[in-house]
Amino acid sequence: ELSSRFYTVVPHDLGFRDLRRHVISDVGALRRKLRLVEDLRQLHSARAVVHRAARAHPGPLPNPVDAQYERLRCQLTPLAPTEWGPAGAHWFVAAYMRDTHAATHTLGAAICGVYAVRREGEEQRYQDWKAAREGAGEAR
């Protein structure tokens, strides 16, 4: 009776199998079914969170990587191939990849894009550090 009620509340696709094999008759089977119910509850909760987020932000949800950079207050700007010249960022990144690749590394890599990264307040922190460093150099 209780197994029947469980399978009514939590539907299963048992097909045309012998239903007597699916009676919850021991503690191990009960624990497995309780874990299943807990997993279903967590899936339901996660779906509700995603649904609320989608309602709070109409339109498509942001890419998780983009959202992480946004939380870090970083602005990523793709550099056009024209900015990849011999003195540009692409050349620098390609040279770094080539020069730091050990002979034991067998994975190939290709540069798909180069991005400029600006982090809020970072330029000012660099200028402060640079001024302090130059000031310390003059004091020597």
Side-chain angles (χ1 to χ4, degrees), residues 85-105:
H90 186 274
W91 180 86
F92 179 79
V93 171
Y96 185 82
M97 284 179 56
R98 181 191 65 241
D99 297 343
T100 60
H101 183 80
T104 57
H105 298 162

Side-chain angles (χ1 to χ4, degrees), residues 10-117:
V10 182
H12 288 63
D13 181 10
L14 303 176
F16 294 105
R17 298 180 194 154
D18 180 12
L19 297 181
R20 288 177 290 176
R21 291 183 346 170
H22 299 286
V23 172
I24 303 170
S25 59
D26 59 60
V27 174
L30 178 62
R31 283 191 181 121
R32 285 190 299 277
K33 294 302 178 183
L34 288 173
R35 276 195 303 261
L36 171 68
V37 169
E38 178 59 22
D39 290 344
L40 289 171
R41 187 190 67 74
Q42 289 179 1
L43 285 170
H44 179 73
S45 296
R47 184 183 174 284
V49 167
V50 169
H51 185 67
R52 280 193 303 271
R55 279 193 322 230
H57 302 284
L61 290 176
N63 178 302
V65 175
D66 292 339
Q68 183 66 22
Y69 277 106
E70 188 176 312
R71 282 191 291 276
L72 292 170
R73 296 187 188 113
C74 288
Q75 179 185 11
L76 297 178
T77 307
L79 298 178
T82 57
E83 299 175 58
W84 296 1
H90 186 274
W91 180 86
F92 179 79
V93 171
Y96 185 82
M97 284 179 56
R98 181 191 65 241
D99 297 343
T100 60
H101 183 80
T104 57
H105 298 162
T106 57
L107 298 175
I111 299 171
C112 297
V114 178
Y115 295 82
V117 180

Side-chain angles (χ1 to χ4, degrees), residues 1-12 14 19 22-25:
E1 159 83 33
L2 293 176
S3 291
S4 177
R5 286 179 56 198
F6 172 78
Y7 286 114
T8 300
V9 174
V10 182
H12 288 63
L14 303 176
L19 297 181
H22 299 286
V23 172
I24 303 170
S25 59

